[in-house]
Amino acid sequence: MTVAPHTGQIVGSAAAAPAEPPRQITWHSEDDTATFAQRLAAQPQLANAFVTLHGDLGAGKTTLVRHLLRALGVEGRIKSPTYAVVEPHEAPGLSIWHFDFYRFDDPREWEDAGFRDIFANPGLKVAEWPEKAAALTPLADLAIHIEAIDDTERKVTLHAHTATGRSLLQAL
């Protein structure tokens, strides 16, 4: 059996928002990361957003997700989905899916894993290494680029790509 090559997104995408200039901030410590996560978690529009996290290994993507999930009320162990590709979480009144596409390399995995269904349903979707699945995912509402300056300091650039993302960015 052969599989036809995939071209284009599998999941529908939200309409792009008018250009919003990116915002840059600096996290001087993990406490700053936690504070940012709490401010992001407080935004009601996050409930159905798609947030992508960009940065090198060790930049702090998973650390940010852990702080965000705690701020949203997720209890228990929060593990990285590096090998599972996705980890579902439940917070009070909110479904959350944490993706890590680092090992993702076959578009057929998208369908086999049911990712189309996840993205078609309400809930927060957060993806690390989104560029590995970029042809398949919808446009991110908010893209967070994290650059490690040293062991504790991070330069963070926030890009809003949709009206939801712009609303999130303006509220932060």
Side-chain angles (χ1 to χ4, degrees):
M1 171 168 67
T2 60
V3 175
H6 171 70
T7 56
Q9 292 180 326
I10 289 177
V11 179
S13 184
E20 175 87 14
R23 180 178 306 163
Q24 288 195 339
I25 56 176
T26 301
W27 297 336
H28 298 284
S29 67
E30 190 171 330
D31 288 343
D32 289 347
T33 306
T35 299
F36 175 84
Q38 291 166 352
R39 289 178 38 214
L40 184 58
Q43 306 310 312
Q45 58 273 37
L46 186 67
N48 289 304
F50 176 39
V51 177
T52 57
L53 304 174
H54 307 261
D56 293 335
L57 286 171
K61 298 179 298 293
T62 302
T63 299
L64 172 59
V65 173
R66 285 189 175 122
H67 284 295
L68 179 61
L69 294 177
R70 288 286 182 234
L72 289 167
V74 173
E75 297 180 356
R77 185 170 179 242
I78 297 174
K79 59 183 182 171
S80 173
T82 299
Y83 294 100
V85 182
V86 65
E87 288 289 336
H89 299 280
E90 292 293 325
L94 178 62
S95 295
I96 306 162
W97 290 271
H98 176 197
F99 295 88
D100 185 332
F101 291 118
Y102 184 73
R103 299 186 187 285
F104 187 85
D105 61 356
D106 184 346
R108 291 175 294 187
E109 290 179 72
W110 185 270
E111 289 298 328
D112 294 345
F115 294 159
R116 179 195 306 258
D117 294 335
I118 292 173
F119 275 89
N121 284 302
L124 171 61
K125 290 87 175 174
V126 180
E128 298 182 48
W129 299 99
E131 58 277 5
K132 298 273 197 159
L136 305 172
T137 62
L139 183 63
D141 295 302
L142 184 64
I144 302 173
H145 297 259
I146 305 171
E147 179 185 350
I149 303 303
D150 58 29
D151 287 345
T152 58
E153 192 170 4
R154 302 292 184 261
K155 182 174 105 178
V156 181
T157 306
L158 308 167
H159 296 269
H161 297 294
T162 66
T164 296
R166 189 174 60 242
S167 179
L168 287 166
L169 186 59
Q170 291 171 350
L172 290 173

PDB file of all heavy atoms in Angstrom, residues 12-49:
ATOM      1  N   GLY A  12      -7.873  22.646  10.043  1.00  0.00           N
ATOM      2  CA  GLY A  12      -8.231  24.017   9.661  1.00  0.00           C
ATOM      3  C   GLY A  12      -7.504  25.015  10.516  1.00  0.00           C
ATOM      4  O   GLY A  12      -7.143  24.753  11.649  1.00  0.00           O
ATOM      5  N   SER A  13      -7.321  26.181   9.977  1.00  0.00           N
ATOM      6  CA  SER A  13      -6.566  27.201  10.663  1.00  0.00           C
ATOM      7  C   SER A  13      -7.430  28.432  10.902  1.00  0.00           C
ATOM      8  O   SER A  13      -8.260  28.780  10.086  1.00  0.00           O
ATOM      9  CB  SER A  13      -5.366  27.576   9.793  1.00  0.00           C
ATOM     10  OG  SER A  13      -4.558  28.492  10.458  1.00  0.00           O
ATOM     11  N   ALA A  14      -7.200  29.062  12.032  1.00  0.00           N
ATOM     12  CA  ALA A  14      -7.898  30.312  12.315  1.00  0.00           C
ATOM     13  C   ALA A  14      -7.376  31.386  11.369  1.00  0.00           C
ATOM     14  O   ALA A  14      -6.252  31.318  10.898  1.00  0.00           O
ATOM     15  CB  ALA A  14      -7.646  30.733  13.764  1.00  0.00           C
ATOM     16  N   ALA A  15      -8.187  32.356  11.109  1.00  0.00           N
ATOM     17  CA  ALA A  15      -7.766  33.449  10.231  1.00  0.00           C
ATOM     18  C   ALA A  15      -6.641  34.233  10.888  1.00  0.00           C
ATOM     19  O   ALA A  15      -6.648  34.469  12.094  1.00  0.00           O
ATOM     20  CB  ALA A  15      -8.950  34.368   9.955  1.00  0.00           C
ATOM     21  N   ALA A  16      -5.691  34.607  10.089  1.00  0.00           N
ATOM     22  CA  ALA A  16      -4.580  35.387  10.606  1.00  0.00           C
ATOM     23  C   ALA A  16      -5.072  36.755  11.047  1.00  0.00           C
ATOM     24  O   ALA A  16      -5.956  37.339  10.441  1.00  0.00           O
ATOM     25  CB  ALA A  16      -3.496  35.536   9.541  1.00  0.00           C
ATOM     26  N   ALA A  17      -4.498  37.243  12.111  1.00  0.00           N
ATOM     27  CA  ALA A  17      -4.849  38.559  12.633  1.00  0.00           C
ATOM     28  C   ALA A  17      -3.988  39.605  11.951  1.00  0.00           C
ATOM     29  O   ALA A  17      -2.919  39.305  11.431  1.00  0.00           O
ATOM     30  CB  ALA A  17      -4.601  38.589  14.141  1.00  0.00           C
ATOM     31  N   PRO A  18      -4.455  40.843  11.941  1.00  0.00           N
ATOM     32  CA  PRO A  18      -3.582  41.900  11.437  1.00  0.00           C
ATOM     33  C   PRO A  18      -2.264  41.868  12.219  1.00  0.00           C
ATOM     34  O   PRO A  18      -2.237  41.482  13.385  1.00  0.00           O
ATOM     35  CB  PRO A  18      -4.363  43.177  11.732  1.00  0.00           C
ATOM     36  CG  PRO A  18      -5.777  42.745  11.874  1.00  0.00           C
ATOM     37  CD  PRO A  18      -5.735  41.335  12.394  1.00  0.00           C
ATOM     38  N   ALA A  19      -1.218  42.265  11.573  1.00  0.00           N
ATOM     39  CA  ALA A  19       0.112  42.184  12.182  1.00  0.00           C
ATOM     40  C   ALA A  19       0.151  42.915  13.522  1.00  0.00           C
ATOM     41  O   ALA A  19      -0.291  44.043  13.646  1.00  0.00           O
ATOM     42  CB  ALA A  19       1.151  42.758  11.242  1.00  0.00           C
ATOM     43  N   GLU A  20       0.665  42.245  14.481  1.00  0.00           N
ATOM     44  CA  GLU A  20       0.890  42.799  15.821  1.00  0.00           C
ATOM     45  C   GLU A  20       2.395  42.724  16.033  1.00  0.00           C
ATOM     46  O   GLU A  20       2.988  41.663  15.838  1.00  0.00           O
ATOM     47  CB  GLU A  20       0.157  41.948  16.860  1.00  0.00           C
ATOM     48  CG  GLU A  20       0.400  42.334  18.290  1.00  0.00           C
ATOM     49  CD  GLU A  20      -0.549  43.422  18.766  1.00  0.00           C
ATOM     50  OE1 GLU A  20      -1.551  43.690  18.105  1.00  0.00           O
ATOM     51  OE2 GLU A  20      -0.265  44.003  19.813  1.00  0.00           O
ATOM     52  N   PRO A  21       3.038  43.803  16.379  1.00  0.00           N
ATOM     53  CA  PRO A  21       4.491  43.701  16.565  1.00  0.00           C
ATOM     54  C   PRO A  21       4.820  42.707  17.672  1.00  0.00           C
ATOM     55  O   PRO A  21       4.111  42.638  18.680  1.00  0.00           O
ATOM     56  CB  PRO A  21       4.910  45.119  16.943  1.00  0.00           C
ATOM     57  CG  PRO A  21       3.665  45.865  17.255  1.00  0.00           C
ATOM     58  CD  PRO A  21       2.510  45.116  16.681  1.00  0.00           C
ATOM     59  N   PRO A  22       5.857  41.910  17.472  1.00  0.00           N
ATOM     60  CA  PRO A  22       6.241  40.972  18.523  1.00  0.00           C
ATOM     61  C   PRO A  22       6.654  41.719  19.786  1.00  0.00           C
ATOM     62  O   PRO A  22       7.085  42.875  19.714  1.00  0.00           O
ATOM     63  CB  PRO A  22       7.418  40.195  17.931  1.00  0.00           C
ATOM     64  CG  PRO A  22       7.832  40.903  16.707  1.00  0.00           C
ATOM     65  CD  PRO A  22       6.747  41.854  16.321  1.00  0.00           C
ATOM     66  N   ARG A  23       6.475  41.072  20.899  1.00  0.00           N
ATOM     67  CA  ARG A  23       6.877  41.662  22.174  1.00  0.00           C
ATOM     68  C   ARG A  23       8.054  40.863  22.716  1.00  0.00           C
ATOM     69  O   ARG A  23       8.032  39.636  22.689  1.00  0.00           O
ATOM     70  CB  ARG A  23       5.724  41.623  23.168  1.00  0.00           C
ATOM     71  CG  ARG A  23       6.136  42.243  24.503  1.00  0.00           C
ATOM     72  CD  ARG A  23       5.044  42.274  25.518  1.00  0.00           C
ATOM     73  NE  ARG A  23       3.856  42.939  24.987  1.00  0.00           N
ATOM     74  CZ  ARG A  23       2.660  42.828  25.540  1.00  0.00           C
ATOM     75  NH1 ARG A  23       2.492  42.082  26.605  1.00  0.00           N
ATOM     76  NH2 ARG A  23       1.635  43.459  25.025  1.00  0.00           N
ATOM     77  N   GLN A  24       9.053  41.552  23.213  1.00  0.00           N
ATOM     78  CA  GLN A  24      10.202  40.887  23.812  1.00  0.00           C
ATOM     79  C   GLN A  24      10.238  41.183  25.295  1.00  0.00           C
ATOM     80  O   GLN A  24       9.992  42.313  25.723  1.00  0.00           O
ATOM     81  CB  GLN A  24      11.507  41.342  23.170  1.00  0.00           C
ATOM     82  CG  GLN A  24      11.691  40.795  21.775  1.00  0.00           C
ATOM     83  CD  GLN A  24      13.123  40.943  21.287  1.00  0.00           C
ATOM     84  OE1 GLN A  24      13.885  41.757  21.777  1.00  0.00           O
ATOM     85  NE2 GLN A  24      13.468  40.143  20.297  1.00  0.00           N
ATOM     86  N   ILE A  25      10.530  40.128  26.054  1.00  0.00           N
ATOM     87  CA  ILE A  25      10.695  40.258  27.496  1.00  0.00           C
ATOM     88  C   ILE A  25      11.900  39.419  27.904  1.00  0.00           C
ATOM     89  O   ILE A  25      12.379  38.591  27.132  1.00  0.00           O
ATOM     90  CB  ILE A  25       9.429  39.811  28.272  1.00  0.00           C
ATOM     91  CG1 ILE A  25       9.025  38.379  27.912  1.00  0.00           C
ATOM     92  CG2 ILE A  25       8.280  40.761  28.037  1.00  0.00           C
ATOM     93  CD1 ILE A  25       7.849  37.841  28.706  1.00  0.00           C
ATOM     94  N   THR A  26      12.366  39.644  29.104  1.00  0.00           N
ATOM     95  CA  THR A  26      13.479  38.860  29.638  1.00  0.00           C
ATOM     96  C   THR A  26      13.034  38.216  30.937  1.00  0.00           C
ATOM     97  O   THR A  26      12.431  38.882  31.786  1.00  0.00           O
ATOM     98  CB  THR A  26      14.713  39.753  29.891  1.00  0.00           C
ATOM     99  OG1 THR A  26      15.088  40.361  28.652  1.00  0.00           O
ATOM    100  CG2 THR A  26      15.879  38.938  30.422  1.00  0.00           C
ATOM    101  N   TRP A  27      13.286  36.929  31.033  1.00  0.00           N
ATOM    102  CA  TRP A  27      13.088  36.212  32.289  1.00  0.00           C
ATOM    103  C   TRP A  27      14.472  36.085  32.917  1.00  0.00           C
ATOM    104  O   TRP A  27      15.374  35.485  32.342  1.00  0.00           O
ATOM    105  CB  TRP A  27      12.500  34.822  32.069  1.00  0.00           C
ATOM    106  CG  TRP A  27      11.132  34.802  31.455  1.00  0.00           C
ATOM    107  CD1 TRP A  27      10.191  35.774  31.487  1.00  0.00           C
ATOM    108  CD2 TRP A  27      10.552  33.724  30.707  1.00  0.00           C
ATOM    109  NE1 TRP A  27       9.061  35.388  30.821  1.00  0.00           N
ATOM    110  CE2 TRP A  27       9.255  34.124  30.330  1.00  0.00           C
ATOM    111  CE3 TRP A  27      11.000  32.461  30.315  1.00  0.00           C
ATOM    112  CZ2 TRP A  27       8.398  33.309  29.586  1.00  0.00           C
ATOM    113  CZ3 TRP A  27      10.160  31.649  29.582  1.00  0.00           C
ATOM    114  CH2 TRP A  27       8.869  32.066  29.227  1.00  0.00           C
ATOM    115  N   HIS A  28      14.641  36.654  34.108  1.00  0.00           N
ATOM    116  CA  HIS A  28      15.936  36.629  34.777  1.00  0.00           C
ATOM    117  C   HIS A  28      16.121  35.382  35.629  1.00  0.00           C
ATOM    118  O   HIS A  28      17.247  35.095  36.044  1.00  0.00           O
ATOM    119  CB  HIS A  28      16.110  37.890  35.634  1.00  0.00           C
ATOM    120  CG  HIS A  28      16.087  39.141  34.808  1.00  0.00           C
ATOM    121  ND1 HIS A  28      17.151  39.544  34.031  1.00  0.00           N
ATOM    122  CD2 HIS A  28      15.114  40.060  34.601  1.00  0.00           C
ATOM    123  CE1 HIS A  28      16.842  40.658  33.397  1.00  0.00           C
ATOM    124  NE2 HIS A  28      15.609  40.999  33.727  1.00  0.00           N
ATOM    125  N   SER A  29      15.020  34.680  35.885  1.00  0.00           N
ATOM    126  CA  SER A  29      15.089  33.487  36.723  1.00  0.00           C
ATOM    127  C   SER A  29      13.867  32.616  36.436  1.00  0.00           C
ATOM    128  O   SER A  29      12.938  33.041  35.730  1.00  0.00           O
ATOM    129  CB  SER A  29      15.087  33.879  38.201  1.00  0.00           C
ATOM    130  OG  SER A  29      13.822  34.445  38.539  1.00  0.00           O
ATOM    131  N   GLU A  30      13.854  31.439  37.004  1.00  0.00           N
ATOM    132  CA  GLU A  30      12.686  30.572  36.842  1.00  0.00           C
ATOM    133  C   GLU A  30      11.456  31.193  37.502  1.00  0.00           C
ATOM    134  O   GLU A  30      10.328  30.939  37.075  1.00  0.00           O
ATOM    135  CB  GLU A  30      12.954  29.179  37.398  1.00  0.00           C
ATOM    136  CG  GLU A  30      11.861  28.200  37.026  1.00  0.00           C
ATOM    137  CD  GLU A  30      12.159  26.763  37.363  1.00  0.00           C
ATOM    138  OE1 GLU A  30      13.333  26.364  37.372  1.00  0.00           O
ATOM    139  OE2 GLU A  30      11.186  26.026  37.620  1.00  0.00           O
ATOM    140  N   ASP A  31      11.663  32.025  38.510  1.00  0.00           N
ATOM    141  CA  ASP A  31      10.531  32.729  39.124  1.00  0.00           C
ATOM    142  C   ASP A  31       9.832  33.631  38.101  1.00  0.00           C
ATOM    143  O   ASP A  31       8.609  33.747  38.102  1.00  0.00           O
ATOM    144  CB  ASP A  31      10.987  33.569  40.325  1.00  0.00           C
ATOM    145  CG  ASP A  31      11.365  32.720  41.523  1.00  0.00           C
ATOM    146  OD1 ASP A  31      10.986  31.522  41.573  1.00  0.00           O
ATOM    147  OD2 ASP A  31      12.060  33.243  42.417  1.00  0.00           O
ATOM    148  N   ASP A  32      10.600  34.262  37.215  1.00  0.00           N
ATOM    149  CA  ASP A  32      10.003  35.081  36.163  1.00  0.00           C
ATOM    150  C   ASP A  32       9.194  34.212  35.195  1.00  0.00           C
ATOM    151  O   ASP A  32       8.135  34.626  34.718  1.00  0.00           O
ATOM    152  CB  ASP A  32      11.076  35.833  35.377  1.00  0.00           C
ATOM    153  CG  ASP A  32      11.724  36.952  36.171  1.00  0.00           C
ATOM    154  OD1 ASP A  32      11.191  37.333  37.241  1.00  0.00           O
ATOM    155  OD2 ASP A  32      12.786  37.455  35.726  1.00  0.00           O
ATOM    156  N   THR A  33       9.699  33.019  34.907  1.00  0.00           N
ATOM    157  CA  THR A  33       8.961  32.079  34.051  1.00  0.00           C
ATOM    158  C   THR A  33       7.635  31.729  34.701  1.00  0.00           C
ATOM    159  O   THR A  33       6.591  31.726  34.044  1.00  0.00           O
ATOM    160  CB  THR A  33       9.794  30.800  33.808  1.00  0.00           C
ATOM    161  OG1 THR A  33      11.075  31.156  33.297  1.00  0.00           O
ATOM    162  CG2 THR A  33       9.085  29.855  32.847  1.00  0.00           C
ATOM    163  N   ALA A  34       7.663  31.431  35.995  1.00  0.00           N
ATOM    164  CA  ALA A  34       6.447  31.065  36.727  1.00  0.00           C
ATOM    165  C   ALA A  34       5.462  32.235  36.756  1.00  0.00           C
ATOM    166  O   ALA A  34       4.253  32.044  36.575  1.00  0.00           O
ATOM    167  CB  ALA A  34       6.798  30.630  38.148  1.00  0.00           C
ATOM    168  N   THR A  35       5.955  33.448  36.949  1.00  0.00           N
ATOM    169  CA  THR A  35       5.086  34.622  36.963  1.00  0.00           C
ATOM    170  C   THR A  35       4.428  34.823  35.607  1.00  0.00           C
ATOM    171  O   THR A  35       3.225  35.102  35.518  1.00  0.00           O
ATOM    172  CB  THR A  35       5.892  35.877  37.371  1.00  0.00           C
ATOM    173  OG1 THR A  35       6.406  35.672  38.683  1.00  0.00           O
ATOM    174  CG2 THR A  35       5.035  37.124  37.330  1.00  0.00           C
ATOM    175  N   PHE A  36       5.202  34.669  34.540  1.00  0.00           N
ATOM    176  CA  PHE A  36       4.642  34.778  33.190  1.00  0.00           C
ATOM    177  C   PHE A  36       3.562  33.720  32.979  1.00  0.00           C
ATOM    178  O   PHE A  36       2.484  34.018  32.462  1.00  0.00           O
ATOM    179  CB  PHE A  36       5.745  34.624  32.143  1.00  0.00           C
ATOM    180  CG  PHE A  36       5.220  34.598  30.738  1.00  0.00           C
ATOM    181  CD1 PHE A  36       4.965  35.782  30.060  1.00  0.00           C
ATOM    182  CD2 PHE A  36       4.953  33.396  30.104  1.00  0.00           C
ATOM    183  CE1 PHE A  36       4.463  35.756  28.763  1.00  0.00           C
ATOM    184  CE2 PHE A  36       4.453  33.357  28.811  1.00  0.00           C
ATOM    185  CZ  PHE A  36       4.203  34.541  28.136  1.00  0.00           C
ATOM    186  N   ALA A  37       3.831  32.493  33.397  1.00  0.00           N
ATOM    187  CA  ALA A  37       2.861  31.402  33.242  1.00  0.00           C
ATOM    188  C   ALA A  37       1.572  31.709  33.993  1.00  0.00           C
ATOM    189  O   ALA A  37       0.468  31.452  33.489  1.00  0.00           O
ATOM    190  CB  ALA A  37       3.461  30.084  33.730  1.00  0.00           C
ATOM    191  N   GLN A  38       1.677  32.281  35.181  1.00  0.00           N
ATOM    192  CA  GLN A  38       0.486  32.644  35.951  1.00  0.00           C
ATOM    193  C   GLN A  38      -0.315  33.727  35.242  1.00  0.00           C
ATOM    194  O   GLN A  38      -1.551  33.662  35.195  1.00  0.00           O
ATOM    195  CB  GLN A  38       0.885  33.103  37.361  1.00  0.00           C
ATOM    196  CG  GLN A  38       1.413  31.968  38.214  1.00  0.00           C
ATOM    197  CD  GLN A  38       2.116  32.457  39.473  1.00  0.00           C
ATOM    198  OE1 GLN A  38       2.352  33.651  39.663  1.00  0.00           O
ATOM    199  NE2 GLN A  38       2.492  31.508  40.335  1.00  0.00           N
ATOM    200  N   ARG A  39       0.361  34.717  34.676  1.00  0.00           N
ATOM    201  CA  ARG A  39      -0.339  35.789  33.950  1.00  0.00           C
ATOM    202  C   ARG A  39      -1.024  35.236  32.705  1.00  0.00           C
ATOM    203  O   ARG A  39      -2.149  35.618  32.387  1.00  0.00           O
ATOM    204  CB  ARG A  39       0.632  36.905  33.594  1.00  0.00           C
ATOM    205  CG  ARG A  39       1.055  37.694  34.831  1.00  0.00           C
ATOM    206  CD  ARG A  39       2.062  38.793  34.595  1.00  0.00           C
ATOM    207  NE  ARG A  39       1.899  39.531  33.375  1.00  0.00           N
ATOM    208  CZ  ARG A  39       2.899  40.022  32.660  1.00  0.00           C
ATOM    209  NH1 ARG A  39       4.142  39.845  33.046  1.00  0.00           N
ATOM    210  NH2 ARG A  39       2.681  40.696  31.559  1.00  0.00           N
ATOM    211  N   LEU A  40      -0.362  34.327  31.999  1.00  0.00           N
ATOM    212  CA  LEU A  40      -0.951  33.709  30.818  1.00  0.00           C
ATOM    213  C   LEU A  40      -2.152  32.847  31.207  1.00  0.00           C
ATOM    214  O   LEU A  40      -3.205  32.909  30.569  1.00  0.00           O
ATOM    215  CB  LEU A  40       0.105  32.877  30.079  1.00  0.00           C
ATOM    216  CG  LEU A  40      -0.313  32.224  28.766  1.00  0.00           C
ATOM    217  CD1 LEU A  40      -0.811  33.264  27.761  1.00  0.00           C
ATOM    218  CD2 LEU A  40       0.847  31.417  28.194  1.00  0.00           C
ATOM    219  N   ALA A  41      -2.016  32.084  32.273  1.00  0.00           N
ATOM    220  CA  ALA A  41      -3.096  31.199  32.730  1.00  0.00           C
ATOM    221  C   ALA A  41      -4.334  31.978  33.154  1.00  0.00           C
ATOM    222  O   ALA A  41      -5.449  31.455  33.091  1.00  0.00           O
ATOM    223  CB  ALA A  41      -2.607  30.331  33.895  1.00  0.00           C
ATOM    224  N   ALA A  42      -4.162  33.215  33.555  1.00  0.00           N
ATOM    225  CA  ALA A  42      -5.287  34.036  34.018  1.00  0.00           C
ATOM    226  C   ALA A  42      -6.141  34.568  32.869  1.00  0.00           C
ATOM    227  O   ALA A  42      -7.209  35.134  33.112  1.00  0.00           O
ATOM    228  CB  ALA A  42      -4.762  35.202  34.855  1.00  0.00           C
ATOM    229  N   GLN A  43      -5.709  34.384  31.635  1.00  0.00           N
ATOM    230  CA  GLN A  43      -6.438  34.915  30.481  1.00  0.00           C
ATOM    231  C   GLN A  43      -7.519  33.930  30.029  1.00  0.00           C
ATOM    232  O   GLN A  43      -7.199  32.809  29.632  1.00  0.00           O
ATOM    233  CB  GLN A  43      -5.470  35.192  29.318  1.00  0.00           C
ATOM    234  CG  GLN A  43      -4.303  36.077  29.690  1.00  0.00           C
ATOM    235  CD  GLN A  43      -4.727  37.344  30.400  1.00  0.00           C
ATOM    236  OE1 GLN A  43      -5.635  38.034  29.970  1.00  0.00           O
ATOM    237  NE2 GLN A  43      -4.062  37.641  31.514  1.00  0.00           N
ATOM    238  N   PRO A  44      -8.797  34.309  30.065  1.00  0.00           N
ATOM    239  CA  PRO A  44      -9.883  33.404  29.687  1.00  0.00           C
ATOM    240  C   PRO A  44      -9.769  32.874  28.253  1.00  0.00           C
ATOM    241  O   PRO A  44     -10.136  31.737  27.977  1.00  0.00           O
ATOM    242  CB  PRO A  44     -11.152  34.246  29.843  1.00  0.00           C
ATOM    243  CG  PRO A  44     -10.768  35.431  30.641  1.00  0.00           C
ATOM    244  CD  PRO A  44      -9.287  35.612  30.495  1.00  0.00           C
ATOM    245  N   GLN A  45      -9.243  33.700  27.342  1.00  0.00           N
ATOM    246  CA  GLN A  45      -9.145  33.278  25.946  1.00  0.00           C
ATOM    247  C   GLN A  45      -8.118  32.158  25.737  1.00  0.00           C
ATOM    248  O   GLN A  45      -8.090  31.534  24.676  1.00  0.00           O
ATOM    249  CB  GLN A  45      -8.872  34.472  25.018  1.00  0.00           C
ATOM    250  CG  GLN A  45      -7.632  35.255  25.311  1.00  0.00           C
ATOM    251  CD  GLN A  45      -7.815  36.361  26.340  1.00  0.00           C
ATOM    252  OE1 GLN A  45      -8.542  36.230  27.313  1.00  0.00           O
ATOM    253  NE2 GLN A  45      -7.125  37.474  26.142  1.00  0.00           N
ATOM    254  N   LEU A  46      -7.318  31.852  26.746  1.00  0.00           N
ATOM    255  CA  LEU A  46      -6.349  30.761  26.645  1.00  0.00           C
ATOM    256  C   LEU A  46      -7.042  29.403  26.560  1.00  0.00           C
ATOM    257  O   LEU A  46      -6.490  28.450  26.023  1.00  0.00           O
ATOM    258  CB  LEU A  46      -5.396  30.789  27.850  1.00  0.00           C
ATOM    259  CG  LEU A  46      -4.245  29.788  27.812  1.00  0.00           C
ATOM    260  CD1 LEU A  46      -3.267  30.145  26.695  1.00  0.00           C
ATOM    261  CD2 LEU A  46      -3.535  29.751  29.149  1.00  0.00           C
ATOM    262  N   ALA A  47      -8.277  29.331  27.045  1.00  0.00           N
ATOM    263  CA  ALA A  47      -9.003  28.059  27.134  1.00  0.00           C
ATOM    264  C   ALA A  47      -9.110  27.315  25.808  1.00  0.00           C
ATOM    265  O   ALA A  47      -9.194  26.086  25.802  1.00  0.00           O
ATOM    266  CB  ALA A  47     -10.393  28.290  27.716  1.00  0.00           C
ATOM    267  N   ASN A  48      -9.115  28.007  24.685  1.00  0.00           N
ATOM    268  CA  ASN A  48      -9.219  27.347  23.385  1.00  0.00           C
ATOM    269  C   ASN A  48      -8.107  27.779  22.444  1.00  0.00           C
ATOM    270  O   ASN A  48      -8.269  27.763  21.226  1.00  0.00           O
ATOM    271  CB  ASN A  48     -10.586  27.612  22.752  1.00  0.00           C
ATOM    272  CG  ASN A  48     -11.664  26.869  23.500  1.00  0.00           C
ATOM    273  OD1 ASN A  48     -11.602  25.660  23.649  1.00  0.00           O
ATOM    274  ND2 ASN A  48     -12.627  27.606  24.020  1.00  0.00           N
ATOM    275  N   ALA A  49      -6.982  28.141  22.998  1.00  0.00           N
ATOM    276  CA  ALA A  49      -5.865  28.640  22.199  1.00  0.00           C
ATOM    277  C   ALA A  49      -4.917  27.521  21.790  1.00  0.00           C
ATOM    278  O   ALA A  49      -4.875  26.455  22.408  1.00  0.00           O
ATOM    279  CB  ALA A  49      -5.103  29.703  22.982  1.00  0.00           C
TER     280      ALA A  49
END
